[in-house]
Amino acid sequence: MKKKRFITNSIVHVILAILGAVWVLPILYVILTSFRKEGGTYKTYIIPKEFTLDNYKALWEAAGTLDYKKWFLNTLIVALASCIIAAFLTVCVAYVMSRLRFKMRKPFMNIAMVLGLFPGFMSMIAIYYILKGFNLLETGQLKLFALVLVYSGGAGLGFLVAKGFFDTIPKSLDEAAYIDGATKWDVFTKITIPLSKPIIVYTVLTAFMGPWVDYIFAKVILGQDRDHYTIAIGLWTMLEKEFEKYYYTQFFAGCVVISIPIAILFLLTQKCYTETVGGAVKG
């Protein structure tokens, strides 16, 4: 039995090691290529013959047609604004659906569930003409504002996960607070929010990552306005036929740079995932 268990564990470990290598290899290739000194596009080898930081330096010093600094700033502004608005709307809608009872509550939840079955990009043409009708596609600044509206406008429909978390918080806490004279807003801000850090962190992360990596909606709204591109569109532009030969290694450097804010955000918020409602209530 011990021999059989040892063989089984060994096979499992080998499979996991292979899967881990398959997962890590593309990331390793991106990082190594970002430091590659040899110009041109694809090479048959993974490890560069010479390493350099010039790709990162050129990335931030570039200006004119392909201005990575401006793309990064555009994306950061849109992502932060969308994150704040979307997270607030999602948490508020989830709390209302979890705690309050009103006439159209169940029909609204059913409609939200049905709409959630359809991918968002199915509505992009309709959204484009709606924004055009409101003259929000006239200038680059208005286009970025329109992106914020698009990313945060439908955020409330993603309330189901947060609602499920709020349902686990004992309602007896709310009732005790009401007896002490607290209002619904007091209960929401001083009881529910402190006990809901894990789901709030999850909501913030998803609300930030959506605009940060989105290509489809951003491309439809921004069109050919390169000065106001977001990072996803800008990096794709670097791989177009006319730029690929000169910006190939800079493209990989840009991929590494855009992953840094996401990594920092995860590191700053990972401890919230370990917190539970039960532990918070006992405290």
Side-chain angles (χ1 to χ4, degrees):
M1 290 297 294
K2 290 183 179 180
K3 184 177 180 181
K4 184 177 180 180
R5 187 180 304 170
F6 174 78
I7 295 175
T8 303
N9 292 337
S10 300
I11 294 174
V12 171
H13 290 158
V14 170
I15 293 174
L16 291 176
I18 294 173
L19 293 176
V22 171
W23 181 78
V24 171
L25 186 60
I27 300 175
L28 184 62
Y29 177 78
V30 170
I31 296 174
L32 290 176
T33 306
S34 70
F35 291 102
R36 195 182 78 191
K37 188 174 184 179
E38 307 91 84
T41 56
Y42 174 76
K43 304 294 182 183
T44 57
Y45 50 86
I46 295 179
I47 301 177
K49 296 179 180 179
E50 293 185 71
F51 291 84
T52 181
L53 293 174
D54 290 344
N55 296 323
Y56 290 90
K57 184 178 179 181
L59 195 68
W60 292 105
E61 292 179 351
T65 303
L66 304 181
D67 192 342
Y68 186 85
K69 297 190 301 293
K70 188 176 291 185
W71 297 342
F72 188 92
L73 182 61
N74 293 339
T75 309
L76 185 62
I77 293 172
V78 171
L80 287 176
S82 303
C83 173
I84 294 171
I85 298 173
F88 178 76
L89 291 177
T90 302
V91 171
C92 287
V93 173
Y95 178 78
V96 168
M97 291 299 168
S98 174
R99 287 298 193 261
L100 303 184
R101 297 295 181 268
F102 49 92
K103 187 176 181 180
M104 293 299 295
R105 177 177 174 273
K106 287 187 177 180
F108 180 84
M109 291 183 61
N110 292 334
I111 293 172
M113 291 181 65
V114 172
L115 292 177
L117 298 176
F118 299 93
F121 65 82
M122 290 181 62
S123 62
M124 63 183 177
I125 301 302
I127 291 176
Y128 174 83
Y129 283 107
I130 291 173
L131 295 173
K132 188 174 182 179
F134 283 99
N135 296 321
L136 292 176
L137 303 179
E138 300 297 324
T139 64
Q141 288 79 7
L142 286 176
K143 289 179 180 179
L144 293 178
F145 176 69
L147 272 181
V148 175
L149 292 180
V150 169
Y151 292 136
S152 58
L157 291 177
F159 68 90
L160 290 173
V161 176
K163 176 191 174 296
F165 188 93
F166 289 148
D167 288 341
T168 64
I169 300 177
K171 293 184 179 180
S172 58
L173 296 176
D174 299 8
E175 295 169 356
Y178 292 142
I179 294 175
D180 291 337
T183 62
K184 285 184 173 60
W185 179 254
D186 292 331
V187 172
F188 176 64
T189 57
K190 297 179 181 179
I191 297 179
T192 305
I193 294 298
L195 296 179
S196 306
K197 287 182 181 180
I199 195 61
I200 292 175
V201 168
Y202 167 80
T203 304
V204 169
L205 287 176
T206 54
F208 182 84
M209 289 181 63
W212 192 258
V213 301
D214 178 60
Y215 175 85
I216 298 177
F217 272 110
K219 182 61 176 176
V220 169
I221 293 175
L222 295 175
Q224 299 299 321
D225 188 1
R226 284 182 180 169
D227 285 342
H228 296 90
Y229 272 0
T230 56
I231 287 181
I233 311 175
L235 289 177
W236 178 260
T237 304
M238 288 183 176
L239 293 183
E240 291 181 355
K241 190 174 182 179
E242 57 180 310
F243 301 115
E244 183 181 15
K245 183 178 179 181
Y246 308 100
Y247 291 92
Y248 187 78
T249 51
Q250 291 184 33
F251 163 80
F252 287 96
C255 292
V256 174
V257 171
I258 65 170
S259 67
I260 293 176
I262 298 296
I264 293 174
L265 193 58
F266 269 98
L267 291 174
L268 293 176
T269 58
Q270 65 177 347
K271 63 179 182 180
C272 295
Y273 286 111
T274 62
E275 298 181 6
T276 63
V277 175
V281 172
K282 291 177 182 178

